[in-house]
């Protein structure tokens, strides 16, 4: 089964291009560019000693679960920590999906479908409101309503629905009311709700803590711990117990547990930096629109940008040390996904894209693409 394409630096590609990883500005992964917080780095540094390196990590992540339980106001037994939330997506599918109908609302993060297929699920792809699915399996913007999505889910009768909110790569957000409306149509269906980007959203994103919902959280995006790997889920206790018994032992390394505990002392840092990031994202989208590009609206810090040839644009920008995400692997043609960074970095991207426009004008005209049926209100 083929691997899913992700954003982030591809070390082999950079080596071929003669680029050092540290010299590339990464707009292709959605990690908080202000992080990790200094206090978290210091906590990890303090734990790099012979004792911590030689000891097995706590297989139950007890201290971290107890602290997470306080944050979420739930019993620690309802929490399971994983080696990044991608690890938990695969674990949840291995336990919940074999032989079952799993609906994934797309376009979205590729690991859900990959994990469902690996687990032997019957995979059903359903388009998000505002998107449509072609017979070839590609998504394009459309005026699909919430009720159409609800009707499609009712017809599909899935055992499990996967929803990423706010959604990667579109930045779309489903309101609590809209989510409730969908859930009411499927009273016995389980939901895997991925809130990896909830802290980045411009409005609060809530999740029901009931007997048919598993809520996934990642600490690698908002706290910038992608290299260390840390995620967790909150779910009904009996299911969490089943998931725990299917998890390999010592799955979460000791330094990641130290980092997670320290990160939870930095919730104010997270709120502060993500507020700044939303401002930078709005500024970047505004500047792009003024340059004649058509960034799509977003509820978070990343957005889709319609372009003529995303693979070509990505390759050309990368030669100049700027990495954007070709969104083709999400089943979207004609888009790159850009995650906003700090102001100076965004200015470099704008300069790179201005150069692109100028050189595209000199080559055969290949102006920034504008996909068909772009819904109104798509400008910053
Ligand atoms: C929506 C979503 N969920 C989960 C993940 C996995 O994150 P991690 O395993 O780093 O926690 C990603 C990574 O890009 C993502 O975009």
């Amino acid at each position: 089964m083929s691997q899913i394409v992700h954003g982030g630096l591809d070390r082999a590609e950079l080596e071929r291009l003669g680029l050092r990883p540290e010299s590339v500005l990464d707009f292709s992964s959605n990690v908080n560019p202000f992080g990790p917080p200094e206090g978290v780095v210091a906590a990890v540094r303090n734990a790099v000693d012979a004792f911590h390196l030689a000891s097995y990590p706590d297989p139950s992540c007890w201290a971290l679960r107890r602290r997470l339980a306080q944050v979420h106001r739930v019993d620690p037994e309802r929490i399971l920590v994983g080696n990044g939330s991608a690890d938990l997506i695969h674990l949840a599918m291995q336990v919940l999906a074999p032989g079952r109908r799993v609906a994934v609302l797309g376009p979205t993060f590729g690991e859900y479908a990959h994990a469902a297929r690996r687990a032997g699920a019957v995979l059903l792809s359903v388009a998000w409101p505002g998107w449509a699915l072609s017979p070839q399996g590609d998504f394009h913007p459309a005026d699909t309503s919430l009720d159409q999505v609800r009707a499609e889910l009712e017809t599909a009768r899935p055992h499990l629905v996967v929803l990423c909110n706010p959604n990667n790569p579109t930045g779309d957000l489903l309101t609590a009311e809209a989510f409730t409306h969908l859930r009411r149509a499927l009273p016995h269906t389980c939901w895997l709700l991925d809130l990896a980007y909830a802290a980045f959203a411009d409005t609060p994103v809530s999740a029901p803590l009931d007997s048919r919902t598993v809520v996934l959280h990642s600490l690698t995006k908002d706290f910038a711990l992608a290299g260390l790997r840390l995620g967790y889920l909150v779910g009904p206790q009996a299911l969490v117990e089943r998931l725990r018994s299917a998890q390999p032992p010592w799955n979460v390394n000791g330094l990641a547990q130290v980092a997670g505990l320290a990160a939870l002392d930095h919730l104010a840092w997270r709120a502060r930096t993500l507020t700044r990031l939303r401002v930078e994202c709005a500024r970047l989208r505004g500047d792009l629109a003024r340059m004649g590009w058509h960034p799509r609206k977003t509820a978070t810090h990343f957005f889709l940008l319609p372009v003529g040839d995303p693979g070509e644009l990505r390759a050309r920008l990368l030669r100049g040390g700027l990495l954007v995400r070709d969104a083709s692997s999400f089943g979207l043609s004609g888009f790159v996904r850009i995650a906003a960074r700090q102001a100076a970095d965004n200015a470099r991207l704008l300069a790179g894209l201005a150069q692109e426009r100028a050189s595209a004008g000199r080559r055969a005209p290949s102006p920034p693409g504008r996909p068909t049926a772009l819904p109104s209100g798509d400008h910053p």
Side-chain angles (χ1 to χ4, degrees), residues 30 83-87 89 109 112 164 168 194 196-197 218-221 229-231:
N30 299 327
N83 185 31
S85 58
D87 175 44
I89 291 168
F109 184 49
Y112 311 131
C164 178
N168 174 18
D194 187 346
Y197 300 110
S218 172
L219 293 168
T220 69
K221 317 288 185 188
R229 317 297 306 129
L230 193 60

Side-chain angles (χ1 to χ4, degrees), residues 4 11 28-29 49 60 72 78 80 117 129 131 134 149 180 193 264-266 300 318 332 351 356 376 378-379:
I4 297 301
R11 302 308 202 269
S28 78
S29 68
D49 58 24
S60 79
H72 289 278
R78 296 189 59 183
L80 184 64
R117 278 199 205 94
W131 293 89
S134 76
V149 176
T180 304
L193 186 57
L264 295 172
D265 289 335
H266 289 78
T300 176
L318 183 55
L332 289 168
E356 274 308 308
S376 58
D378 236 10
H379 302 282

